[in-house]
Amino acid sequence: MASYSPLCWRLSVCVLLAGGALLAQAQPVPLAPETLPATVNTALAQARVPASALAVLVMDAGDSGQVYATHRAQAPVNPASVMKLVTTYAALDLLGPGHTWTTPVYTDGVLKDGVLQGNLYLQGGGDPKLVTERLWLLMRRIQGLGIRRIAGDIVLDKRAFQLPPVDPGAFDGEPLRPYNAAPEALLINFKSVVMTFTPDPSNGVAQVAVEPPLGGVALPTSVPLAANGAGCGDWRGGLKADFSDPLRIRLAGAYPAACGERSWPVAYAAPERFAERAVAGMWLAVDGQLDGQVREGAVPAGLAPRLNWPSVPLPEVVRDVNKFSNNVMAQHLLLSLALNNANNGPATFDGARQRVATWWRERVGAAVPVPEIDNGAGLSRTARTTAQALGRLLRTAYATGHMPELMASLPLSGHDGTLRRSQNAVGLAHLKTGSLNEVNALAGYVHSTQGKRLVFVAIVNHPNAHAARPALQALVGWAAGQP
């Protein structure tokens, strides 16, 4: 671990990092009197959300630690996806920004004249971003070993994670939403297909491209164009899609030419079989031959990897998690903290939460309550933390070498990610968004027009939380104007 120079923060918070030591345990930053700007109170009243539903902490990210605004900062709240800040910073700090995941490939037979007389094994190592194009590259790399035909099976080893069965519709009754995909040691394309519709007026159809190809699954290649003059509107509903049969995706409707090219990601109806289908389909797509089947199993003891397929580096994963609030990738980050812990057993959420708790007490401070992170993604009804805890985390991160990676991963107001449409403090705020039923949250850093960088946390828990978005934006604008 890298070493750091001693730092001393005002407000009686002194931090010492030397020779790779973690942050010393420190007392919480003293809070200013309960204050909310008038513009925020006005916006809350218009949204019919009481101030008692809002938790706020705005403070200097630098040495002074000056608190500009605080309100219910020590109240436990559900932070929704803002919890991803805990997961991503813990991953950067514990795994390091150079970390990659590996998918080893094994064979147990003789290779002769392009034919593998045996099985080929893919061992999942928790790669959060083994998406379609990278799966294609992996299949081509396997062919680079000289393998064109596999006389046995392709065996998928998923034992690196030990997780209970998950109902993808349990959270909100939306099993086909990709955000509900569950983690898996060999996660391929987030267990989702992406259908791209391209109008072809000369033939009266929209061409349909489905990625990744799925072995044994009938996929649509085209759909009729809607009648002339049809607007785009609810184009997904107009397709009359039926995903109930995992072996056949049906489109009984039509696609409006006015929509132009559009893509629709959909979680596969049988997620437990998705990796098998995707590997089979991609092997055939690169002209590979398979005499056997793709199935789940274990790599036999004693085999040495024929190749180790690396993932993209950790900062790219962190960027996807925070910019686009990718839930399953966040869960993979959390599980990876247990996978790379001292024990060599399979990763579990319990093990990952224990490691985060230990890290939090050493890095952030034992006086600040450890967040109840659940699955690490914030897609949870039970996750809890405080504005004060998130503020301390962000200020701790700001003083370390991982600050550039973390800050750059956050949506930039008015430019990208989940804040690309924001019209408030454009270009002045790097903020993670959080949104669930009854939760609306923003947390990260605001760059004031006077050159200050502020830690910013604002979380609403209320049945009318989404109506409070203007209040949060008003607070961002107020923070950006601080001298």
Side-chain angles (χ1 to χ4, degrees):
M1 183 176 291
S3 60
Y4 300 88
S5 300
L7 300 173
C8 193
W9 293 344
R10 278 193 255 166
L11 297 174
S12 304
V13 179
C14 192
V15 183
L16 179 66
L17 299 102
L22 297 177
L23 278 176
Q25 295 181 359
Q27 295 300 312
V29 175
L31 300 179
E34 294 281 309
T35 54
L36 281 178
T39 54
V40 176
N41 283 319
T42 299
L44 286 173
Q46 291 173 344
R48 298 183 180 180
V49 173
S52 60
L54 175 64
V56 166
L57 180 62
V58 180
M59 65 187 301
D60 182 16
D63 290 347
S64 77
Q66 178 182 349
V67 176
Y68 290 87
T70 178
H71 179 73
R72 298 182 64 247
Q74 298 185 68
V77 290
N78 186 333
S81 283
V82 163
M83 188 65 84
K84 292 181 174 74
L85 290 170
V86 179
T87 305
T88 53
Y89 179 55
L92 284 169
D93 199 44
L94 289 169
L95 303 179
H99 177 79
T100 58
W101 292 260
T102 300
T103 303
V105 178
Y106 303 82
T107 61
D108 66 359
V110 176
L111 176 63
K112 183 177 181 181
D113 298 329
V115 179
L116 175 63
Q117 298 291 343
N119 298 323
L120 183 136
Y121 300 86
L122 301 180
Q123 187 175 55
D127 184 347
K129 200 175 180 181
L130 189 53
V131 290
T132 297
E133 56 269 32
R134 292 195 58 79
L135 178 63
W136 183 89
L137 289 170
L138 173 56
M139 296 295 103
R140 293 293 292 162
R141 183 66 184 86
I142 290 171
Q143 290 186 337
L145 298 174
I147 301 171
R148 293 292 184 271
R149 174 184 159 202
I150 300 170
D153 296 336
I154 298 178
V155 182
L156 311 182
D157 189 333
K158 305 177 183 179
R159 295 175 299 161
F161 290 172
Q162 188 177 82
L163 305 172
V166 175
D167 174 5
F171 183 74
D172 57 5
E174 296 283 356
L176 299 182
R177 298 280 189 173
Y179 63 72
N180 275 324
E184 186 173 276
L186 189 62
L187 178 73
I188 295 177
N189 211 54
F190 316 127
K191 299 183 183 177
S192 299
V193 296
V194 180
M195 298 185 294
T196 301
F197 300 86
T198 306
D200 181 3
S202 62
N203 290 306
V205 300
Q207 303 295 341
V208 183
V210 182
E211 297 292 346
L214 299 179
V217 179
L219 303 170
T221 58
S222 67
V223 62
L225 288 178
N228 288 337
C232 194
D234 180 18
W235 61 272
R236 291 184 179 90
L239 289 167
K240 298 180 181 177
D242 181 358
F243 302 104
S244 59
D245 183 355
L247 298 181
R248 183 179 181 84
I249 294 176
R250 294 180 174 88
L251 301 175
Y255 181 79
C259 290
E261 184 173 285
R262 297 286 182 101
S263 293
W264 185 9
V266 181
Y268 186 58
E272 70 283 355
R273 299 293 306 278
F274 185 79
E276 298 169 30
R277 303 282 185 201
V279 168
M282 192 62 78
W283 181 247
L284 295 177
V286 297
D287 296 325
Q289 298 178 54
L290 177 63
D291 294 357
Q293 61 180 324
V294 181
R295 59 179 175 85
E296 192 169 338
V299 175
L303 292 183
R306 294 293 303 276
L307 70 90
N308 288 300
W309 181 247
S311 71
V312 299
L314 175 61
E316 183 173 331
V317 172
V318 168
R319 182 183 184 277
D320 285 350
V321 169
N322 285 334
K323 291 278 189 190
F324 307 108
S325 213
N326 190 300
N327 291 310
V328 70
M329 292 177 81
Q331 294 179 63
H332 269 240
L333 284 183
L334 180 61
L335 287 164
S336 295
L337 301 182
L339 190 64
N340 288 273
N341 208 352
N343 75 67
N344 293 316
T348 65
F349 277 124
D350 282 344
R353 286 188 288 262
Q354 290 170 14
R355 192 175 188 201
V356 170
T358 300
W359 167 83
W360 179 277
R361 296 184 186 101
E362 295 173 341
R363 172 63 88 182
V364 181
V368 183
V370 179
E372 299 173 34
I373 60 175
D374 193 4
N375 55 31
L379 193 70
S380 168
R381 304 296 182 197
T382 61
R384 293 290 184 274
T385 189
T386 66
Q388 182 186 15
L390 289 174
R392 171 60 71 84
L393 174 83
L394 288 163
R395 192 158 175 253
T396 299
Y398 189 80
T400 68
H402 303 317
M403 180 273 285
E405 283 81 11
L406 181 66
M407 187 179 293
S409 77
L410 303 180
L412 178 59
S413 180
H415 286 277
D416 63 12
T418 53
L419 283 180
R420 65 189 180 281
R421 296 175 182 168
S422 175
Q423 301 299 311
N424 192 271
V426 173
L428 293 176
H430 283 90
L431 296 170
K432 179 73 194 77
T433 59
S435 179
L436 288 175
N437 289 338
E438 303 189 3
V439 182
N440 207 337
L442 290 172
Y445 302 98
V446 174
H447 316 278
S448 82
T449 55
Q450 302 301 316
K452 282 278 188 181
R453 280 186 173 167
L454 308 179
V455 165
F456 181 99
V457 183
I459 302 170
V460 176
N461 282 190
H462 188 267
N464 209 24
H466 287 281
R469 187 167 298 162
L472 301 189
Q473 292 296 334
L475 186 61
V476 173
W478 175 86
Q482 292 308 297

